[in-house]
Amino acid sequence: MFEMIESIPVFGNGLLVVVAMVIVLGTVVSIHEYGHYIVGRWCGIDADVFSIGFGKVIYSRYDKRGTKWQVAAIPLGGYVKFRGDLDAASTQGKENLANLPPEEAARSFPTAPLYKRALTVMAGPVFNFILSIVIFTGLGLYSGQAVDDMTLGKVIAPKGTQYEIREGDKILAVDGVEMNSFLEMAEWAATAEANKNTIYTVERGNDRIDVTGPFPAPAYAAAIMPVSAASSADMRAGDFIVSLDNKEVNSFRQLVEVVKTVGVGEIPITVLRDGEKLTFPIRPREQVYENADGEIETRILLGISGGNAFEPAIIPVGFGTAVSNGVSRTWAVISGSVRGIKLMFQGAISPKNLQGPVGIAHMSSDVAKSGWISLIALIGIISTAIGFLNLMPLPVLDGGHLVQFAYQGVVGKPMNERVVRYATVVSLSLLLTLMLYSTSNDLVRWFQ
């Protein structure tokens, strides 16, 4: 499936955008809604409709429980309509229960005990978080973890370039400077002058020898950021940058220095890709950037992540460690979302950085070009983000329903229906406005 996605030849990558978006959003929405559905069923609540997407129904079928399973034309969400709900937003109404036979009314959402309704609503976001943890755990088990010492795995160099350093060597020193970790070597390379034939002192078997190798921090695109200048210019992960704006670069530090001096107009970039030298235009963009001190800056960026000239040797990771790392990565997405909202309200981040459905589609297609592992990781990230978003205390979201249930549990009666209706209209207006604004941002970025 994913290999097929990576090789789709399309008009302006339009088909890739659609396919990648359907895979990412379809997976996340399906898991979210299935969480609502299955926990509701466990709680004795029947569902009338389980829908992936909105609008015109493309496919549908009924199961033996009487639930209509359907796929609709607009793949931007989904819903579960439980027995007794007036609509897909789970709007409640006593008049709707009057039309149900007693045995069906007993298995409806409005008549279920308060705690069962709360569990059913909470299940959607919780299943999103579980999906993220499962994905990050699986990727950790698949990828393994780096060894603690400086034993080399793969040597990263342009195709056809020959160096004496090789896989399995353990680095002891670089150009005569003793090294104890890859981080220490990266910090040294951040200030050192690039040398095309750097001398490494390595331990190879029982021998200590000096060998030639690439500079530790080459001008290398380890990853391409989605919806960036690099992705728009069709740069690819693995490209080695030879020059930018007709200025030669031999290290990532030199590349950063050149980028700082250029504007946002079109400039030439030359890269080595699979042994072939390619030159094409690129338009650096102003983007919000978080520096090493956690401060927010606006900088001109290409949208590439640099990488070391070496990958560390990899060892298998234990299941417990993989699960722990999966939970940590999921929490990191949640805390990052909270931090982003806080910085936006403080004015440190412009609302222009918000992304809507078009932005998610664009991002999904860019990530799909990098391979199936990157696309699966994106599903994990977006699943957590959507789970977190749905916990916002707005009446049309799961968090809003939970607030109403909490109120009913404390006060002993439901919120005033008129108040709920007004709050629903206001919150829906806010969400629609936010979606329109973020979509306009997406379109501006797209056409840029």
Side-chain angles (χ1 to χ4, degrees):
M1 168 67 78
F2 294 104
E3 287 78 2
M4 178 274 289
I5 294 170
E6 294 169 39
S7 61
I8 292 176
V10 289
F11 309 101
N13 286 326
L15 181 57
L16 177 59
V17 170
V18 174
V19 171
M21 180 188 69
V22 169
I23 289 174
V24 172
L25 284 183
T27 301
V28 172
V29 169
S30 297
I31 291 296
H32 180 95
E33 299 304 334
Y34 187 75
H36 289 312
Y37 166 79
I38 194 63
V39 172
R41 202 175 90 181
W42 292 340
C43 290
I45 303 170
D46 288 339
D48 291 331
V49 181
F50 184 107
S51 179
I52 300 300
F54 300 106
K56 182 179 176 59
V57 176
I58 300 174
Y59 168 81
S60 68
R61 71 174 181 84
Y62 285 89
D63 66 14
K64 61 183 181 180
R65 296 175 180 273
T67 302
K68 181 182 180 183
W69 297 74
Q70 65 182 41
V71 177
I74 305 174
L76 298 179
Y79 62 89
V80 176
K81 182 178 179 294
F82 288 106
R83 189 71 43 83
D85 289 343
L86 289 176
D87 52 40
S90 291
T91 304
Q92 305 301 304
K94 295 179 181 179
E95 64 276 11
N96 196 40
L97 294 178
N99 298 324
L100 293 176
E103 63 275 11
E104 290 190 26
R107 297 183 60 83
S108 69
F109 190 87
T111 61
L114 190 60
Y115 78 94
K116 289 186 176 181
R117 283 180 277 159
L119 288 174
T120 301
V121 170
M122 177 69 78
V126 169
F127 268 53
N128 280 134
F129 299 145
I130 291 173
L131 173 63
S132 298
I133 293 170
V134 169
I135 285 175
F136 294 142
T137 298
L139 291 177
L141 291 170
Y142 175 83
S143 302
Q145 66 181 15
V147 296
D148 293 331
D149 60 22
M150 296 188 71
T151 301
L152 299 184
K154 185 178 179 181
V155 178
I156 308 295
K159 186 176 181 179
T161 305
Q162 298 295 323
Y163 291 108
E164 296 171 341
I165 198 168
R166 66 191 191 197
E167 182 179 344
D169 288 346
K170 181 180 178 180
I171 296 175
L172 303 174
V174 183
D175 281 345
V177 180
E178 183 179 341
M179 296 293 168
N180 296 303
S181 68
F182 284 102
L183 176 60
E184 188 176 320
M185 184 169 67
E187 291 173 344
W188 173 84
T191 57
E193 287 298 322
N195 187 344
K196 291 185 178 180
N197 284 293
T198 304
I199 303 300
Y200 293 86
T201 302
V202 302
E203 182 182 289
R204 181 178 294 172
N206 295 322
D207 299 324
R208 180 187 175 105
I209 59 176
D210 289 338
V211 294
T212 60
F215 186 70
Y220 166 69
I224 304 298
M225 298 299 101
V227 196
S228 65
S231 67
S232 297
D234 204 26
M235 283 191 68
R236 301 180 188 174
D239 285 349
F240 285 84
I241 295 89
V242 176
S243 68
L244 179 67
D245 198 24
N246 299 315
K247 299 179 179 66
E248 182 181 1
V249 291
N250 295 305
S251 69
F252 200 81
R253 178 175 66 85
Q254 290 179 351
L255 178 65
V256 170
E257 291 173 351
V258 174
V259 171
K260 286 181 180 178
T261 65
V262 302
V264 294
E266 186 176 281
I267 57 174
I269 187 170
T270 300
V271 304
L272 279 173
R273 180 183 298 165
D274 296 328
E276 183 181 1
K277 187 178 287 189
L278 304 172
T279 300
F280 46 83
I282 191 169
R283 289 179 174 271
R285 298 178 184 173
E286 280 193 349
Q287 288 183 271
V288 173
Y289 171 81
E290 185 173 356
N291 63 26
D293 298 323
E295 299 171 340
I296 301 300
E297 300 177 357
T298 299
R299 289 176 49 179
I300 295 175
L301 299 175
L302 295 182
I304 66 174
S305 293
N308 295 326
F310 313 102
E311 291 180 0
I314 300 297
I315 58 175
V317 62
F319 182 75
T321 300
V323 172
S324 176
N325 291 340
V327 172
S328 297
R329 290 186 66 179
T330 300
W331 176 251
V333 176
I334 295 173
S335 58
S337 299
V338 173
R339 174 174 164 75
I341 293 171
K342 178 181 176 183
L343 290 172
M344 196 166 294
F345 276 108
Q346 291 175 344
I349 296 180
S350 170
K352 291 182 179 180
N353 291 284
L354 288 171
Q355 293 195 60
V358 175
I360 292 175
H362 193 178
M363 181 186 299
S364 300
S365 67
D366 283 350
V367 171
K369 297 174 189 175
S370 299
W372 64 271
I373 291 180
S374 297
L375 191 64
I376 290 176
L378 179 65
I379 291 173
I381 293 170
I382 290 181
S383 183
T384 298
I386 286 182
F388 172 76
L389 173 65
N390 270 278
L391 289 176
M392 295 291 100
L394 299 176
V396 293
L397 300 177
D398 296 332
H401 292 298
L402 292 173
V403 169
Q404 293 178 53
F405 297 152
Y407 175 89
Q408 185 174 348
V410 173
V411 177
K413 61 179 181 179
M415 279 188 178
N416 182 281
E417 287 188 15
R418 181 176 295 180
V419 172
V420 172
R421 286 198 184 97
Y422 283 140
T424 300
V425 171
V426 171
S427 61
L428 186 59
S429 300
L430 289 173
L431 286 174
L432 288 175
T433 301
L434 184 63
M435 179 172 284
L436 289 172
Y437 179 77
S438 60
T439 300
S440 69
N441 290 340
D442 295 339
L443 294 174
V444 168
R445 281 188 292 263
W446 184 284
F447 287 112
Q448 281 178 342

